[in-house]
Amino acid sequence: MKADDSGLAARGYLYYPGCSLRATGVAYEESLLTLFRLLGLPLRELEDWNCCGATSYMSIDEGAAALLSARVLSLARQQGAEDLLAPCSACYLALRKTQDSVHRYPRVQQEVEESLARAGLTLLNSTRIRHPLEVLYTDVGLPAIHTKTVRRWRGGQVACYYGCQLVRPYEGVDKAQNPTRMEELLQQVGVPVVDYALKTKCCGGSLTGTLSEVGLRLNYILLKEAARKGAEAIVTVCPLCQFNLDAYQRDIRQQSGERFDIPILYFTQVLGWALGGGVRELGLHRAVSGRNLIKRWFQAHEPVEAYV
Amino acid sequence: MQALTLRKMKFQREALPQWVEQISDIPGCERVYSCIQCGTCSGTCPLSIYMDFTPRRVIALVREGFRTEALTCQTIWLCASCYACTAHCPQNVHITEVMYSLKREAIRHRMYPPRFPIPVLAQEFYKSVRRRGRNSEFWLVLRMALRSNPFLLLKMIGTGWRLLRTGRLSLKREKIERIQEIQKEFAAPREAIS
Amino acid sequence: MSEHKSDIRTGVYVCHCGTNIASVVDVREAARHAASLPGVEISREYKYLCSEPGQALIRQDILERGLNRIVVAACSPHLHEETFRTAAAAAQLNPFHVQMINIREHNSWVHEDKARASRKAEKLIRAAVRRVAHHKPLERVRVPINPAVLVVGGGIAGIHAALTVANAGRQVYLVEREPSIGGHMAMFDKTFPTLDCAACILTPKMSAVKAHPNIKLWTHSDVTDVQGYVGNYRVKVTRWPRMVREELCSGCLECVAACVFKEAKVPDEFNFGLSKRKPIYIPFPQAVPQVPLIDMENCIQFRTGKCKKACAQACGDRKAIDFQQGEEIKEVDVGTIIVATGSKTFDAERAAYYGYGTYPNVYTSLEIERLVNACGPTAGRVVLRNGETPKSVAIIHCVGSRDENTNRWCSRVCCMYSLKLAHLLKEHTGAEVFNFYIDMRTPGKGFEEFYQKLLNEGVHFVRGRVAEVTEWALDQSEEGKLVLRVEDTLLGLVRRIPVDMVVLSVGMEPHADASEVRRLFNITCSSEGFFLERHPKLAPVNTFTDGIFLAGSCQGPKDIPDTVAQAGAAAAEALALIGAGYMEQEPNAAYVVEDHCSGCGACSALCPYSAITLDAGARRSSIHPVLCKGCGTCVAACPSGAIRQNLFEDEQIFEEITGVLTHG
Amino acid sequence: MAEDKFEPRIVAFFCNWCTYLAADLAGVSRLKYAPNLCVIRVMCSGRVDPQFILDALAKGADGVLIGGCHPGDCHYQEGNYKALRRFRLLQRMLEDLGIERQRVRLEWISAAEGSRVRSVVNSMTEDLRALGPLRWNSRQASPAGAVEAQ
């Protein structure tokens, strides 16, 4: 085991859900909290957090996006965190980007500082932005995940899908070109993974809502290639990716004429289940697609001794 | 089909070199002059196949100062900000940032088709967060659709129903406690739209 | 010693350098200011002082006006100090009465504020006028040149340089790290643009090296120490053991045939693992010397000590195989050194998006060179890893070149060798060949014509940098293929192109140990890591260390013709020094003012050249004027101020300090 | 000439083989930097006598920059190490004299690092501008080391 439990627990992680985890991505929050509880690392929610600014903000007013993220960063430091856990890829990117441009551009720094000052806040830019994937891989470590596994994987092969904003343009969570940490983590709990060339291709983000023909086609390609490679499910790290791939499979069928019913899981759901989490507390019942398969894979509780 | 008599020549009087300087002065857009027109951005972009100008051509338009084409092309709205081009560019041109800066300028000058859902979504998002500090997906999509194309709602009914059934459609309007902090942050006059 | 102040008659010359200086610095005002300074007899500005009329102007003033000090405000002294010293000498003035200041590289080219740049120029002129008054007449010291030459690296550059020097009747030591000379060129099948066979032009030169009475060839060896200075280098060469004694071996290769490994099992370095070799082997059939070597990692005798040593039995009475052979150190004295250590190709795995190392049918260009080569691993049959002939091939240019994420520079040869490979692959397989390029660079003799030839052969040329190579198939036509996604920038459309084979045209980069080699020879690197020439145009094969010259791609990417030309130039530079028999040294040696020396000996420990000797009895130090290289470290360290340095006397520097700081 | 803004005066001692060439390279590359420094060429940073530095400060320089080859890259093998050792001693002495650390800098700049010349000169100019003029000559009597009277 990489780090000792008590040290990590004492340090703790401050957790920034972001807007999606309170809506369509609620299963992500449920499974994340469950997984970290099972690991003995309870998460503390950032008090009075606000929206990160995200993509849409940057296309209207980049400065404003930076202000929103800067408030989050400052609150995190005020609330005593060295690390801030941002599970949503868009939040992760927005926070990293703000941190980076404040650091790189004195004029951005000045604007942010002045604006925060008006709200009685000071810019505290030293918080480390972390993603659960990276925390599990580096802080908790593969051996610890392996040791804490209590259930044998009963499902089929999966494709690991990272999407875009988590691995680009900032490295830190994983390699930009060919990230592999999710595969490594899942293999620790016995999940077979396929080689998935599209693992960092974009799901189209909000295009599924705004320009659905295009957005659906992107998701069709992702589903089709996963199926071609023999994956029975796709595992994701981002609420928007999960939403797009999961919620639109019927529309994709209408568009492409090909039928898909593939479970789209969060990596926290798969790991949480292996560590003993329940179906409902992991939000597995919230899936739109592949519900039958999910039932088959996750329903029976079978603790394993021989496994470890 | 376009008229056979459409003139497509670009005259140098249309080029705005000062505008290029303004763009290159925006944080992240510094390296726009370094582009070698290799096309890696377009090759790696998952959406380039839908664009009227490939990302490489948009950078060329910017470099040459053809502002109108750069701001009115569909490309900038199709960009999903996946950063593949930026990560891949051999000259470290931050193409995604250039796209953002073009989107901002186009929105500022209303240089996009009326009722075009993508900028409408951005604006609704912007307003909601300024007002409440957080974004509530349901209300955002609802307002975006009403302002751009109400028929979108019809298409969404199925998905909406499935989400509601699985407890993923929250009708709650999220708001932070100290919203005045956000409002004060934004109090100073800003260049962007209000 | 120094002249009376009133005897100083200084001429100040401010150069316009066309508009290079004059467009920023107010040269007229600078000259006017100079005229007001004490001791200045005449001050002029002129369009191009380095030109013959410019120099004549200075000579004429010296003769007619009796000038005895010259200040030239122009470009870097690294460029033209020698020019103006020579001009002064031609007018019978001691050349070291000239002081040059740099108002171009250090001023007009780097400053935008004209007023401040002009004031800075005036300060520098003031400093130089004050300094030059303290100059003394000096004589250059002559250093003899040992006529032997060391050539480091046995690629085409080293081979050509060695043969040129040897043919001029001089002794050459040629040191090569690999077990055979030949370098990258020995791997090639054909050379562009003539398509003549690389082996046919290289192997005769390789044999000539071996046979030449003036060349001592040491392969499988490294230069491990270099001491001394121009004309007088002492070099240590470590000869690594081959376990086969070169002087006893006849090159019959019976040992290789006899080896207990009946099948070759070790990946062959020369063929990049595309074929196998035995633990005792020669690198390739035409290797020079024709002496095998034993790879200790795989040889049973070295691994277990229990081999029946069939190789030694096969060798018989010659007893060339020697399992006890140790390394051997050779020490030689040479006067000049030619560094021709070459470069390496870019590691294609660093460009992960092209799938090298992941997809077996993605190759580097060097691997293809071996595949198309008649004496390569497949005897010239171009096949995929499964033995099938490719029906379509993609050649991707600029892999590891022109890329801020890997190497920024253009590697110069890839466009042309990609065209060559396109031709050869089409010829060998009849496949459909696609070239993907960013810009097509064919700026050599016969190069553009070669491009035309390829266009007419029906090779596809797609202008665009490939974004990715995957095996992700959209439909049946792409199933089982490598699929390229690329913008065809001339069409303005994104294309997907499925192929059987991908060739990555990897660029050239410095060797991983270039930095250690650089330190060994006390030369400099440019920011990319290639060795730096003294001047890109006027001294392209010289280094900043006298007597050490560069040849070939260790100095920057280049093709074979350029490499050979540069090797010839380096040989000529070495021969020029040898021909003269001596080299004149800058008279900047340190010297001891004996009366002030307390004999403390603090200085001798500092000198890296052991130029200082302490006479303990007389309690006096003295400095050898030839051994001293003029760094001045001892001067700054002498506690009693007894050591001084010619050309950099304390008072000269104090005057400069005063000059740049005086308000004027 | 009257100046609105304080412009620090920097005297630089650049070694002939690395930093002087780097400054030449900056010129050839047309990199723009502050015209506040005047370069005095020495063969090696090891030649820089602490007296030169004190003399420059005494005569009105606001800062002194010494440029040499990177450790291990000295044209004379190890002159730059000697410079470094001497520089450290001098720093302690300058501290005692109440002269701010940023006023005397030692930088390793190789012949390939033209852009480093620009960044070092610009940052040093900024630092000195923030510190203000040294006026050492008027603040106190010239130190023993400063030979020449103005």
Side-chain angles (χ1 to χ4, degrees):
Chain A
M1 182 153 180
K2 262 195 178 166
D4 97 286
D5 258 348
S6 55
L8 270 180
R11 198 171 82 206
Y13 294 98
L14 202 59
Y15 157 60
Y16 170 59
C19 306
S20 290
L21 271 70
R22 288 297 151 84
T24 50
V26 62
Y28 194 7
E29 174 164 58
E30 289 164 342
S31 56
L32 180 73
L33 295 176
T34 304
L35 172 63
F36 273 70
R37 177 175 52 74
L38 290 170
L39 286 166
L41 298 169
L43 301 177
R44 185 159 55 93
E45 183 175 324
L46 180 70
E47 186 255 326
D48 204 37
W49 56 267
N50 56 269
C51 167
C52 66
T55 315
S56 299
Y57 248 68
M58 293 173 196
S59 36
I60 296 213
D61 181 348
E62 183 140 62
L67 294 185
L68 289 169
S69 284
R71 179 173 181 268
V72 173
L73 291 170
S74 297
L75 289 184
R77 205 78 188 90
Q78 257 178 25
Q79 295 172 28
E82 277 172 33
D83 292 354
L84 181 65
L85 209 56
C88 165
S89 299
C91 299
Y92 178 85
L93 170 80
L95 295 175
R96 285 287 301 266
K97 189 172 169 184
T98 298
Q99 223 166 28
D100 183 57
S101 39
V102 163
H103 177 75
R104 203 182 292 253
Y105 303 101
R107 52 185 158 147
V108 175
Q109 183 181 355
Q110 197 187 343
E111 194 191 340
V112 167
E113 278 173 352
E114 285 169 4
S115 305
L116 284 175
R118 277 196 300 276
L121 295 165
T122 12
L123 175 65
L124 302 164
N125 200 15
S126 58
T127 312
R128 272 202 307 168
I129 315 300
R130 310 288 303 276
H131 187 273
L133 179 63
E134 177 209 357
V135 167
L136 291 176
Y137 189 89
T138 55
D139 295 12
V140 177
L142 298 179
I145 301 279
H146 187 82
T147 342
K148 295 202 169 172
T149 304
V150 297
R151 283 205 191 114
R152 187 199 300 276
W153 178 250
R154 296 152 45 89
Q157 299 191 99
V158 304
C160 291
Y161 176 60
Y162 294 79
C164 52
Q165 297 191 336
L166 187 62
V167 286
R168 294 188 297 261
Y170 300 105
E171 289 208 0
V173 173
D174 209 331
K175 301 180 292 286
Q177 289 294 346
N178 182 21
T180 52
R181 287 184 170 180
M182 197 182 347
E183 283 91 332
E184 288 174 61
L185 279 167
L186 295 192
Q187 278 162 348
Q188 290 304 317
V189 302
V191 179
V193 295
V194 301
D195 182 22
Y196 188 45
L198 305 186
K199 61 169 90 165
T200 61
K201 291 276 179 245
C202 179
C203 70
S206 54
L207 283 176
T208 41
T210 50
L211 209 61
S212 59
E213 299 78 20
V214 174
L216 294 179
R217 169 82 187 169
L218 292 179
N219 287 284
Y220 159 72
I221 289 171
L222 294 173
L223 292 168
K224 185 180 155 122
E225 175 65 9
R228 186 180 83 98
K229 281 292 188 172
E232 291 182 74
I234 297 178
V235 184
T236 63
V237 291
C238 167
L240 193 53
C241 300
Q242 197 278 342
F243 173 74
N244 278 334
L245 286 165
D246 184 31
Y248 290 108
Q249 289 188 18
R250 276 168 192 247
D251 308 65
I252 290 168
R253 179 187 181 181
Q254 274 177 3
Q255 190 196 44
S256 67
E258 285 175 54
R259 187 174 182 280
F260 294 102
D261 195 22
I262 299 179
I264 311 297
L265 306 166
Y266 290 107
F267 75 113
T268 42
Q269 290 177 316
V270 176
L271 293 174
W273 187 81
L275 266 61
V279 168
R280 289 194 82 81
E281 60 179 354
L282 291 167
L284 283 161
H285 60 299
R286 299 190 188 277
V288 168
S289 302
R291 292 178 68 90
N292 289 332
L293 208 54
I294 290 179
K295 261 185 212 141
R296 197 140 34 94
W297 286 6
F298 297 103
Q299 213 160 42
H301 287 231
E302 185 201 1
V304 282
E305 305 76 38
Y307 183 73
V308 182
Chain B
M1 207 180 137
Q2 282 177 339
L4 287 171
T5 49
L6 185 75
R7 282 173 58 160
K8 274 179 282 184
M9 180 173 276
K10 289 306 291 175
F11 293 94
Q12 200 49 33
R13 61 172 180 268
E14 300 167 55
L16 299 168
Q18 316 86 306
W19 179 69
V20 192
E21 278 173 38
Q22 279 168 29
I23 294 281
S24 70
D25 196 39
I26 295 169
C29 302
E30 300 85 355
R31 286 190 60 89
V32 65
Y33 288 112
S34 308
C35 174
I36 56 170
Q37 290 287 301
C38 66
T40 306
C41 45
S42 319
T44 197
C45 177
L47 291 148
S48 54
I49 49 177
Y50 298 99
M51 293 168 174
D52 47 353
F53 288 89
T54 59
R56 170 189 60 84
R57 295 179 69 198
V58 172
I59 301 292
L61 287 171
V62 171
R63 277 179 51 103
E64 290 306 305
F66 294 123
R67 178 173 176 270
T68 312
E69 285 81 356
L71 292 185
T72 53
C73 68
Q74 296 160 15
T75 304
I76 57 179
W77 304 112
L78 278 160
C79 169
S81 320
C82 81
Y83 289 88
C85 49
T86 302
H88 230 88
C89 175
Q91 294 302 317
N92 276 339
V93 181
H94 290 192
I95 298 140
T96 316
E97 303 303 329
V98 178
M99 294 294 167
Y100 274 133
S101 69
L102 297 176
K103 283 186 233 191
R104 289 197 290 272
E105 192 167 344
I107 288 184
R108 205 152 56 225
H109 296 97
R110 308 233 177 256
M111 290 168 81
Y112 53 88
R115 309 182 81 84
F116 193 44
I118 300 169
V120 170
L121 179 76
Q123 284 163 314
E124 287 302 328
F125 185 95
Y126 181 82
K127 278 193 240 163
S128 126
V129 173
R130 276 199 73 162
R131 214 169 292 140
R132 325 185 68 88
R134 284 184 199 169
N135 148 47
S136 309
E137 284 171 356
F138 171 75
W139 297 101
L140 175 67
V141 172
L142 187 68
R143 273 207 305 273
M144 183 269 291
L146 289 176
R147 267 193 57 194
S148 57
N149 177 9
F151 288 107
L152 277 177
L153 288 175
L154 279 178
K155 276 206 219 163
M156 291 173 183
I157 285 178
T159 312
W161 165 244
R162 286 186 286 277
L163 290 173
L164 197 65
R165 220 182 43 179
T166 51
R168 293 164 67 178
L169 193 68
S170 164
L171 303 182
K172 192 178 152 204
R173 304 188 75 164
E174 297 271 344
K175 188 172 181 180
I176 68 169
E177 282 165 33
R178 299 192 299 277
I179 184 66
Q180 70 282 2
E181 286 185 1
I182 301 262
Q183 281 154 1
K184 278 183 191 156
E185 271 193 60
F186 289 166
R190 301 184 48 80
E191 224 183 90
I193 61 149
S194 49
Chain C
M1 196 167 189
S2 77
E3 296 153 81
H4 194 268
K5 272 208 165 167
S6 59
D7 297 335
I8 302 291
R9 298 169 68 82
T10 309
V12 179
Y13 298 85
V14 184
C15 185
H16 297 197
C17 194
T19 55
N20 280 308
I21 294 171
S23 65
V24 177
V25 170
D26 186 340
V27 283
R28 190 168 297 172
E29 190 48 43
R32 203 175 302 151
H33 174 77
S36 71
L37 298 171
V40 174
E41 179 70 19
I42 176 95
S43 141
R44 295 182 191 274
E45 16 111 14
Y46 191 74
K47 202 97 192 153
Y48 287 109
L49 280 170
C50 59
S51 67
E52 176 46 34
Q55 294 183 45
L57 188 69
I58 298 174
R59 289 199 302 265
Q60 195 182 349
D61 282 349
I62 295 171
L63 295 173
E64 289 179 3
R65 295 174 177 264
L67 300 183
N68 53 21
R69 297 289 188 282
I70 301 294
V71 169
V72 180
C75 53
S76 173
H78 282 279
L79 202 61
H80 276 311
E81 193 170 48
E82 215 33 58
T83 309
F84 296 112
R85 282 178 176 172
T86 312
Q92 315 305 319
L93 180 66
N94 186 286
F96 302 98
H97 281 185
V98 176
Q99 174 71 10
M100 216 186 149
I101 53 168
N102 187 344
I103 58 168
R104 193 178 73 172
E105 284 86 345
H106 290 196
N107 193 343
S108 67
W109 277 353
V110 289
H111 303 321
E112 288 167 313
D113 182 334
K114 293 182 184 178
R116 295 187 62 201
S118 302
R119 261 185 294 152
K120 174 169 167 178
E122 288 165 18
K123 286 184 203 170
L124 291 169
I125 292 173
R126 229 153 43 218
V129 167
R130 295 183 77 113
R131 181 194 217 272
V132 79
H134 293 267
H135 280 209
K136 301 177 303 191
L138 296 168
E139 296 262 329
R140 287 190 168 101
V141 188
R142 286 183 172 188
V143 187
I145 304 286
N146 181 322
V149 179
L150 172 73
V151 178
V152 191
I156 181 60
I159 290 173
H160 186 76
L163 285 173
T164 309
V165 173
N167 287 341
R170 303 299 181 180
Q171 175 66 45
V172 177
Y173 301 96
L174 176 57
V175 179
E176 166 60 48
R177 185 194 319 214
E178 298 297 326
S180 168
I181 56 171
H184 281 119
M185 190 175 169
M187 295 171 177
F188 302 160
D189 179 41
K190 299 270 165 42
T191 57
F192 63 76
T194 45
L195 291 177
D196 41 359
C197 145
C200 311
I201 51 183
L202 180 67
T203 43
K205 291 189 84 137
M206 288 164 65
S207 331
V209 164
K210 184 69 194 148
H212 207 294
N214 290 341
I215 299 180
K216 187 87 207 147
L217 172 62
W218 288 324
T219 55
H220 204 46
S221 305
D222 275 309
V223 175
T224 42
D225 189 44
V226 180
Q227 295 293 330
Y229 52 93
V230 56
N232 304 274
Y233 288 107
R234 168 149 289 204
V235 179
K236 269 195 196 132
V237 177
T238 305
R239 306 209 58 202
W240 308 111
R242 300 174 90 100
M243 308 302 161
V244 179
R245 292 206 165 271
E246 211 172 311
E247 67 281 8
L248 301 177
C249 175
S250 69
C252 68
L253 305 184
E254 292 291 338
C255 52
V256 178
C259 176
V260 294
F261 272 82
K262 286 297 159 232
E263 301 232 335
K265 284 207 174 120
V266 185
D268 182 341
E269 294 85 353
F270 192 77
N271 288 327
F272 306 99
L274 292 167
S275 67
K276 302 279 198 291
R277 61 162 173 81
K278 294 183 177 182
I280 184 162
Y281 68 105
I282 56 164
F284 55 99
Q286 303 80 11
V288 170
Q290 277 281 313
V291 178
L293 71 158
I294 294 176
D295 146 23
M296 290 161 69
E297 256 176 59
N298 292 296
C299 170
I300 303 226
Q301 176 61 20
F302 283 101
R303 275 172 44 192
T304 66
K306 288 182 192 147
C307 185
K308 64 175 186 176
K309 298 183 219 167
C311 52
Q313 288 163 19
C315 193
D317 288 344
R318 285 194 167 270
K319 294 190 171 23
I321 295 190
D322 175 2
F323 290 102
Q324 263 73 51
Q325 193 182 17
E327 64 192 54
E328 193 186 345
I329 311 260
K330 299 275 185 187
E331 254 192 50
V332 288
D333 292 322
V334 296
T336 48
I337 299 173
I338 295 172
V339 178
T341 48
S343 56
K344 71 181 190 59
T345 52
F346 173 77
D347 170 12
E349 284 190 41
R350 286 174 64 201
Y353 36 86
Y354 292 149
Y356 181 78
T358 310
Y359 305 129
N361 290 322
V362 179
Y363 295 82
T364 68
S365 45
L366 268 185
E367 288 167 346
I368 298 298
E369 293 281 1
R370 297 309 301 146
L371 278 185
V372 294
N373 196 307
C375 21
T378 54
R381 271 186 345 109
V382 176
V383 288
L384 299 166
R385 307 260 179 195
N386 64 5
E388 283 174 22
T389 306
K391 294 192 188 61
S392 49
V393 182
I395 302 176
I396 304 178
H397 294 216
C398 297
V399 179
S401 299
R402 304 187 69 193
D403 182 354
E404 292 281 333
N405 305 313
T406 55
N407 295 329
R408 301 177 62 181
W409 56 89
C410 165
S411 293
R412 282 189 65 194
V413 296
C414 322
C415 279
M416 282 306 293
Y417 82 56
S418 299
L419 292 179
K420 174 191 76 180
L421 291 178
H423 169 84
L424 294 175
L425 286 168
K426 208 170 170 63
E427 186 183 72
H428 282 60
T429 64
E432 193 165 20
V433 179
F434 294 85
N435 268 258
F436 299 91
Y437 65 98
I438 305 175
D439 293 297
M440 186 60 74
R441 294 183 170 175
T442 57
K445 199 173 177 181
F447 288 12
E448 184 64 17
E449 293 86 333
F450 191 70
Y451 178 28
Q452 270 300 327
K453 173 183 156 74
L454 266 285
L455 285 167
N456 286 300
E457 284 178 7
V459 170
H460 298 268
F461 287 93
V462 178
R463 190 197 172 282
R465 184 172 175 275
V466 174
E468 62 184 23
V469 176
T470 60
E471 47 169 24
W472 154 47
L474 260 186
D475 57 34
Q476 206 46 46
S477 71
E478 297 180 349
E479 204 60 61
K481 303 263 186 181
L482 294 164
V483 182
L484 286 74
R485 200 175 195 272
V486 58
E487 180 185 20
D488 185 325
T489 61
L490 299 178
L491 297 180
L493 292 172
V494 176
R495 296 173 66 175
R496 285 177 67 89
I497 301 174
V499 294
D500 296 324
M501 174 189 255
V502 171
V503 182
L504 304 180
S505 295
V506 284
M508 294 159 96
E509 61 184 22
H511 277 300
D513 64 348
S515 207
E516 284 110 80
V517 174
R518 168 177 71 89
R519 281 184 189 165
L520 187 64
F521 294 102
N522 195 14
I523 55 183
T524 9
C525 279
S526 55
S527 55
E528 312 85 74
F530 291 110
F531 299 145
L532 189 64
E533 65 284 352
R534 188 165 195 139
H535 190 277
K537 294 178 186 67
L538 302 178
V541 301
N542 302 64
T543 65
F544 286 100
T545 301
D546 288 328
I548 299 190
F549 306 102
L550 301 175
S553 62
C554 64
Q555 182 260 343
K558 49 181 73 62
D559 59 12
I560 295 167
D562 286 1
T563 296
V564 170
Q566 205 190 17
E573 292 280 354
L575 289 170
L577 275 182
I578 296 166
Y582 64 86
M583 184 171 173
E584 287 193 327
Q585 267 193 315
E586 182 86 352
N588 57 12
Y591 60 97
V592 179
V593 181
E594 288 205 355
D595 292 349
H596 297 172
C597 177
S598 64
C600 70
C603 48
S604 11
L606 295 175
C607 182
Y609 305 100
S610 313
I612 310 179
T613 38
L614 173 68
D615 181 340
R619 297 190 60 77
R620 290 278 183 278
S621 284
S622 61
I623 297 175
H624 192 290
V626 171
L627 293 181
C628 173
K629 295 288 149 250
C631 66
T633 303
C634 59
V635 189
C638 176
S640 41
I643 310 183
R644 304 173 60 92
Q645 184 186 10
N646 283 325
L647 278 180
F648 293 90
E649 304 273 3
D650 280 353
E651 59 267 29
Q652 294 173 351
I653 293 171
F654 282 129
E655 287 294 354
E656 273 190 87
I657 296 170
T658 312
V660 295
L661 289 170
T662 312
H663 290 278
Chain D
M1 211 182 287
E3 282 175 50
D4 300 332
K5 197 159 86 174
F6 161 63
E7 286 298 348
R9 294 192 290 175
I10 307 173
V11 176
F13 298 95
F14 282 178
C15 84
N16 186 56
W17 304 104
C18 288
T19 315
Y20 194 91
L21 287 171
D24 277 4
L25 178 63
V28 173
S29 321
R30 310 296 198 276
L31 306 175
K32 305 296 177 200
Y33 58 83
N36 295 54
L37 116 157
C38 289
V39 177
I40 293 174
R41 182 165 67 121
V42 288
M43 294 310 283
C44 176
S45 53
R47 173 69 181 94
V48 180
D49 192 322
Q51 286 194 53
F52 298 165
I53 298 161
L54 295 171
D55 185 58
L57 296 175
K59 283 176 180 158
D62 300 296
V64 175
L65 172 63
I66 308 157
C69 309
H70 284 272
D73 291 355
C74 177
H75 190 77
Y76 304 102
Q77 295 172 18
E78 47 198 21
N80 52 358
Y81 286 113
K82 309 286 166 16
L84 176 63
R85 221 183 296 162
R86 229 174 266 147
F87 173 74
R88 290 206 177 121
L89 285 173
L90 181 75
Q91 262 186 328
R92 235 178 287 162
M93 180 185 158
L94 292 173
E95 245 165 63
D96 292 344
L97 292 169
I99 292 178
E100 297 86 345
R101 243 167 191 275
Q102 301 97 302
R103 291 200 187 266
V104 181
R105 264 170 81 165
L106 172 65
E107 292 286 344
W108 309 134
I109 306 178
S110 82
E113 296 176 311
S115 58
R116 229 176 105 64
V117 170
R118 171 176 61 177
S119 58
V120 166
V121 172
N122 283 344
S123 82
M124 187 164 181
T125 307
E126 283 308 310
D127 288 352
L128 295 178
R129 232 178 239 149
L131 282 178
L134 174 62
R135 294 212 187 85
W136 200 28
N137 43 0
S138 52
R139 268 212 309 230
Q140 60 195 87
S142 284
V147 197
E148 207 128 326
Q150 294 270 24

